[in-house]
């Protein structure tokens, strides 16, 4: 159909050369011609927008999680957060959830000892220091 660029319906874009409305890629609700390509900016049918590739898909690539609902903003893939060296990953990054990082527990050197160090996926475990009896000291040796 003959159209003006701004008058194309959802899922179509205006081809300025041919003055026609042309279909966006599958599951793409909004797309705009740019430098010879037609990148998608909004997805429909519960698809997720991969912002790096400007394409719609059923899920998100590795180290990305899906955000949003079928709404005016659409569903997009966002980069998962990264944990700092003094944090551990309490919730892993999946296609449905962002990574949740928590600060590593710090043991009080006056009253606690470190049973387990903080790692990428586990928090540090601190145990209370207790007074040992003479018998307990003998067992250690």
């Amino acid at each position: 159909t003959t159209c003006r660029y701004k008058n194309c319906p959802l899922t179509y874009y205006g081809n300025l050369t041919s003055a026609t409305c042309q279909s966006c890629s599958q599951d793409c609700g909004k797309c705009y011609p740019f430098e010879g390509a037609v990148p998608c900016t909004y997805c429909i049918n519960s698809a997720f927008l991969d912002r790096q590739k400007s394409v719609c898909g059923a899920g998100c690539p590795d180290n990305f999680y899906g955000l949003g609902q079928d709404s005016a903003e659409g569903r997009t893939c966002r980069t998962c957060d990264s944990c700092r060296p003094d944090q551990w990953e309490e919730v892993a990054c999946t296609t449905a959830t962002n990574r949740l990082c928590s600060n590593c527990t710090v043991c009080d050197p006056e009253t606690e000892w470190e049973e387990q160090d903080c790692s990428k996926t586990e928090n540090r475990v601190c145990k209370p220091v207790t007074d040992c009896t003479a018998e307990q000291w003998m067992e250690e040796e």
Side-chain angles (χ1 to χ4, degrees):
T1 61
T2 303
C3 68
R4 291 186 317 158
Y5 181 76
K6 292 183 179 181
N7 292 342
C8 291
L10 194 64
T11 74
Y12 287 84
Y13 69 96
N15 183 320
L16 297 179
T17 305
S18 65
T20 60
C21 290
Q22 299 198 350
S23 181
C24 298
S25 60
Q26 182 176 352
D27 296 326
C28 181
K30 289 182 187 175
C31 59
Y32 300 96
F34 179 74
E35 295 182 358
V38 186
C40 190
T41 59
Y42 166 77
C43 299
I44 57 174
N45 302 327
S46 299
F48 287 97
L49 177 63
D50 181 337
R51 289 178 181 229
Q52 289 182 323
K53 297 178 183 175
S54 297
V55 296
C56 299
C60 297
D62 288 346
N63 207 35
F64 285 79
Y65 70 100
L67 181 68
Q69 303 296 322
D70 285 337
S71 65
E73 294 81 37
R75 301 173 95 184
T76 59
C77 294
R78 302 278 174 100
T79 305
C80 289
D81 292 338
S82 297
C83 297
R84 298 186 320 256
D86 64 336
Q87 294 179 320
W88 65 286
E89 183 180 84
E90 191 169 346
V91 176
C93 171
T94 68
T95 58
T97 60
N98 190 9
R99 180 177 289 114
L100 175 62
C101 302
S102 293
N103 292 331
C104 295
T105 298
V106 177
C107 298
D108 179 349
E110 298 293 320
T111 61
E112 298 174 312
W113 60 279
E114 184 179 297
E115 181 180 60
Q116 174 183 303
D117 195 13
C118 191
S119 68
K120 181 180 175 184
T121 57
E122 293 185 18
N123 193 9
R124 178 177 288 117
V125 176
C126 302
K127 294 288 184 171
V129 172
T130 57
D131 292 330
C132 296
T133 63
E135 293 81 25
Q136 288 173 322
W137 278 108
M138 298 297 270
E139 289 173 10
E140 293 283 323
E141 295 175 7

